[in-house]
Amino acid sequence: MCRLFALTSRDPVSPMLAIDALNVMKEGHDGSGVGLYLSGLGGPWEEFKDYPILSGIFTEPGLARVFEYMADKGFRSIYSAMFKPEVEPPVGTPVRGTYASIAYKIPKEWDDLPKAVVDQRLVQMRLDLRKEGEESGQIMVFSFWPDTIMIKEVGDPLAIGEYLQLGREELYARHILAQGRQNTNYAINLYACHPFFIEGVGTMTNGENTAFIPIKEYLQSRGVTGYEGYQSDSEVFTHIAHYTTKKLGLDISAYKHIITPMNDDEMADHQDREMLLNLKRSCRKLIIDGPNCIIGCLEDGSMFMAQDRKKLRPGVVGGNPEIGMYAFSSEICGLNAAIPDRDRSKDFQPMHLDTAIVGPDCREVLQCSQKDPLALQR
Amino acid sequence: MLSERPISPSTLSRKDLPWQIKWDINACTKCGRCTSVCPVNAIELGVFRKREIKTSMGLSAKPVNEFSTYYGITQRTDPAYACIGCSMCNMVCPNNAIEPQRQSDSTTLQFQNNRGGQSRTRGGRRNSSESLLDQLKFIRISMLTDPALDAGRHEFEMRTLLGRVLSPENEIKCFQENGWKPPVREIYPLVIGGMSFGALSPNMWEGLQMGVAYLNEEMNMPVRICTGEGGCPPRLLRSRFLKYVILQIASGYFGWDEIIHAIPEMKEDPCAIEIKYGQGAKPGDGGLLMWYKVNKLIAAIRGVPKGVSLPSPPTHQTQYSIEESVAKMIQSMSMAWGFRVPVYPKISASSTSLAVLNNLVRNPYAAGLAIDGEDGGTGAAYNVSMNHMGHPIASNLRDCYKALCVAGAQNEIPLVAGGGIGKNGNLAANAAALMMLGASMVQIGKYVMQAGAGCLGSEKDRCNVCNIGVCPKGITSQDPRVYRRLDPEKVAERVVDFYLSFDTELRKVFAPLGRSTSLPIGMSDGLGISDKDAADRLDIKYVI
C-alpha cells in the first residue's frame, strides 16, 4: 500500500519535510517511486503567481523542442528553475536529463479569452507536449499550470530527495502532496506515479481501484480535455475531483457523495435526500469500490482527505494552528514526524462518512460528514 | 416387427426412436400409472401372446406348441407418439420398473417429425449444450494491496437502475429548474423475463407471483417479473402487486385491451412497460400459442375465440419503421401512465441491435433496451427458428455497451441481457459475466422453469412439449387435470430459494473482485477467456 503525506502551511516549507515523513512510513511502500505536487510556491516564484509553470523532465534536445514549441504558441519564458544532477543516481534511477520548472508569460491574444478556454488550452498544450515526448522519449511533462510544480522519479523517496536536492529554496511551497509509491498492477511508468494533476486539482491515492475500467470509460466519454492517459488505476480519482468541482460546480464536500454515496438507510432522513439520490444515480459509474484513501489539493490551496468505508486503516489529519501547519498522512507516524508539536487530541481520522478539509488559511480541520446538509455550489 | 406389416417410408422401428422405454417385466405390478401419466401416449398397455415350442427327449414324441398370454408395456413406434424422455413414467412407478433411456446414435426420428407438410414446432429449447458464458472466468482477484472482501459479512448493494438516468450535468440542471425527470426504478438485477399468461399455467403464474411478492415484502429484494405478451389477469392489474410486475406489450398490441381498461382502476403503477419487438430464440417470429392451450380464460384475456392457435400478431399497421414504432410506442405507453413508468423495448439480439440502440440514445423517453440472445425462449416456435435463427448474446451486448461508451451514455440507458443465462445451471456466474460485459440487469425464463417448477426439459431435446399443453409437470398446460400437479406454494418457495442462493453466489463472485457498493457493470478487465478469438471479439483478456 502506498504511503501518502501532504502538508499545508501558511508559510512556504521545504518538500524534504514531506519526504522525511514518507521515510518514517517506509514500511508500507517499496520505494519504487516518489511523486511531489507543490503549490502555493514560495521563494522566487512568489512574483510569478499567475504565470503557468511547465514542469517535467527533459533531455537537451527535448528542452530545445519545448522552447521551440512554446515560442510557436507565443509563450515567452520569464523564470525557470533547472536542475541537472551531477552525481550518480541512486540504484534503479536512470539518468534522465534536466528536471525543469519554467514559468511562461501567456501571449497577449489570449487576454480576451474566457478563463475556461484558457484553462483548456493550457491542458491541451501539456497533452501535446506529453504526446510528443512519449514518441521521442525526450520530453516528460507533468503539469502546466500557474503556481504548480510537479516532480516524479523512480526510486526510494529519501534517496531521490537527496539526489534531486529537493531541499532547495526554490522548491519551498505552502501545499505539498508527496507519495512514496508501491508498484501496482501496472508497469512502472513515471506518468503512473502519484500525485495526478489536472487544471489546478491534484490528488493522490492509496489502495486498489477495482472500478477503474468502468470509471475510466465513463470519464473518457465525457469529452473533457485532459481525461486521458490513465496509466494508473487511481488516476481517475483526480479526474472525478475535477469533474465534481469544475464541471458539475459542486463543493469539494460533495466529492465523497459522488465516489462513495450513502446507502439508502443512511440517506433516509437526510434533508437533501432527493438531490443526493439523484446524484447517486446519475454518477453511479463514478462510485469507487476499493479501499481507498484520497488526499488532494484544490486550486485555492484547500486540502482534503476522504476514504471509503472499506478502508481498514484510515489516514489522519492533524496540525498546529499556531504555526499554521497541518498535515494529512496515511500513517500516524508520518504525522508525528512532521508536526510533533501539536495537540494530538485534535487529530482527526475521517471515517467512512467524513471528508476532512483544511482551508488555505491553515487554521482548523473542517470536518464534513455526508450526513450534513449539502454545500452545493462552489 | 411382423413380416406382413406394411412398411411405408415413415415406418420406424423402436430402435429408431431417440428414447427407448426400458421395462422390467419382473418388477412391474401392472398398476397402469405409467401409461395414464404419459403426456404423449408413447406407451400403452400391451397384451402379449407367446408361443413356445416344447420338444421332448427321444424321437417318438413330436414337439408341441405352448401358448401363453401376459400383460405388459409396449412402446409405440408411430413418430407422432414418440417418447419424449420426460420420465414421468418412472416418477409414478412404484417399483422403478420403467424408465426411458436415451439412445444417442439414432437420428432417424428427425427425418420423420414433419409429417403432413407440417414443420415441427416445439417448446423452447435450443438443444445446444455449449455456452460461451460458461467459458468466461473472473480473473481479477484483489490480492496485492487489499484483502478481498468478505462475501458473507460485508455490506453489499445489489441493486440496479431501470429507467433513463440523466447525465450528472442534466440531473443538476433538472433539479435546479424543477424539470421533468424520467422515472427510474431501483430493482434487483435478476429479472424474471417475459413468459405470457397463456404459455404458463395458472398455477405456475400464481407461484411465480407469490415468490416475487415474498422476495419483495419479506426478503427486501426488489425482484421484478415480466408478464410476457398477451395481457395480464385483470385481478393482478388491479392489485397492489402490480408494482412488482413489468407489463409486456408487443408490437401487435396483443392483450393491450385488458390493460388499458384496467388503467383507471390501477392502485399502483406497474414497475415498467416492456415493448416486445423480438425475442431471442425466434427472432422476427413472435410467440406461437397453440390451440391446445387457448381455453376460456386465455381467450377472454386476449380477446379471441377459444380453441384457435394464436401466433403473435404482426406488427400493428400504425408502425411503419422500427425507428418510428420504437419512438411512437414508447411515447404512447409513457403517456398512458402519465410519464411515471419507464418504458423500454425488447429486441432480439441481432446485427441490427446497434441501430435500435442508437435510436434510443436520442429518445429522452426510452428507459432502456432489452436484448434477447438466441439461447432464450420458453415458448413455442418452429424448430428451424429456434435452432438456426438469432445472435448469441455476449458479443451483441458487448457491442451495444461499447456503443454506449462512445456516446457517453453508459449510465443513462440500462441494457437488459437475456438468453442462455444459467442454461447449464451456472446462473450467478453467467449473470455476473454479462454484467461485466455491460448489462445493467439480466433476465431469465428457462431457469425459473427448471429450478422453480422442476421442468423436465433439457438441452438434449428432452420433453420440449410446452407448446401442446401436455407439460407433464403442469408448468405450461392449461388443462386443470395436468396443472393441478403443480403446487403454487412450492413453486413460490423454490423461486425464493434460488433467488437467495443466486444472491449469495453473486456476492461470492463480486467480493473477490473488490466490488460491493455498485454492480461491476462494464468491468471487463475482470473477465478472461481461453479462446483467443472470443477474447479479441469481446475485448477481454485472453487467458490459458
Side-chain angles (χ1 to χ4, degrees), chain A residues 1 185 208 210 213 217-218 221-222 243 263 275 278 280-282 284-285 289 291 309-310 377, chain B residues 140 145-146 155 157 159 166 168-169 171 176 181 401 405 408 411 513-517 521 525:
Chain A
M1 190 80 79
N185 305 348
E208 183 173 0
T210 49
I213 292 290
E217 286 175 345
Y218 188 72
S221 69
R222 298 293 93 193
Y243 186 64
N263 64 30
M275 177 65 190
N278 291 344
K280 179 178 177 179
R281 286 178 175 171
S282 63
R284 201 176 172 84
K285 281 278 171 187
D289 245 324
R309 66 174 63 204
K310 291 176 198 158
Q377 302 289 337
Chain B
R140 192 194 201 284
T145 53
D146 319 297
E155 180 191 353
E157 277 211 20
R159 300 200 174 174
L166 295 179
E169 290 89 349
E171 186 72 64
Q176 285 164 344
K181 216 159 61 72
Y401 181 75
C405 286
N411 188 46
L513 299 173
R515 301 300 296 269
S516 71
T517 43
I521 298 164
D525 57 329

Side-chain angles (χ1 to χ4, degrees), chain A residues 27-95:
Chain A
E27 235 172 41
H29 61 79
D30 65 3
S32 64
V34 64
L36 275 179
Y37 161 90
L38 312 170
S39 75
L41 302 173
W45 296 103
E46 296 271 15
E47 289 175 46
F48 308 109
K49 278 229 172 307
D50 299 328
Y51 300 91
I53 303 169
L54 183 73
S55 47
I57 312 173
F58 312 95
T59 60
E60 287 299 324
L63 207 52
R65 172 67 192 125
V66 167
F67 281 116
E68 187 190 343
Y69 175 88
M70 285 301 192
D72 281 352
K73 297 265 174 193
F75 279 67
R76 195 164 50 82
S77 74
I78 45 173
Y79 181 79
S80 63
M82 306 277 193
F83 184 78
K84 192 171 180 186
E86 281 158 5
V87 295
E88 279 291 300
V91 180
T93 309
V95 178

Side-chain angles (χ1 to χ4, degrees), chain B residues 447-485:
Chain B
Y447 193 93
V448 182
M449 309 282 151
Q450 290 170 318
C455 164
L456 304 166
S458 79
E459 305 301 335
K460 301 264 186 202
D461 206 1
R462 181 179 162 193
C463 202
N464 288 3
V465 285
C466 336
N467 53 331
I468 51 173
V470 293
C471 170
K473 283 281 197 163
I475 303 167
T476 61
S477 172
Q478 297 300 343
D479 182 345
R481 290 169 303 178
V482 177
Y483 70 65
R484 266 204 310 261
R485 293 172 189 170

Side-chain angles (χ1 to χ4, degrees), chain A residues 140-153:
Chain A
M140 299 188 100
V141 185
F142 305 123
S143 62
F144 184 40
W145 199 255
D147 197 25
T148 302
I149 289 178
M150 294 195 79
I151 298 167
K152 296 180 180 187
E153 191 46 278

Side-chain angles (χ1 to χ4, degrees), chain A residues 83 111 137-138 143 223 245 267 285 306 345 360 363:
Chain A
F83 184 78
D111 287 354
Q138 311 276 5
S143 62
T245 54
M267 214 187 272
K285 281 278 171 187
S345 67
R363 282 183 196 283

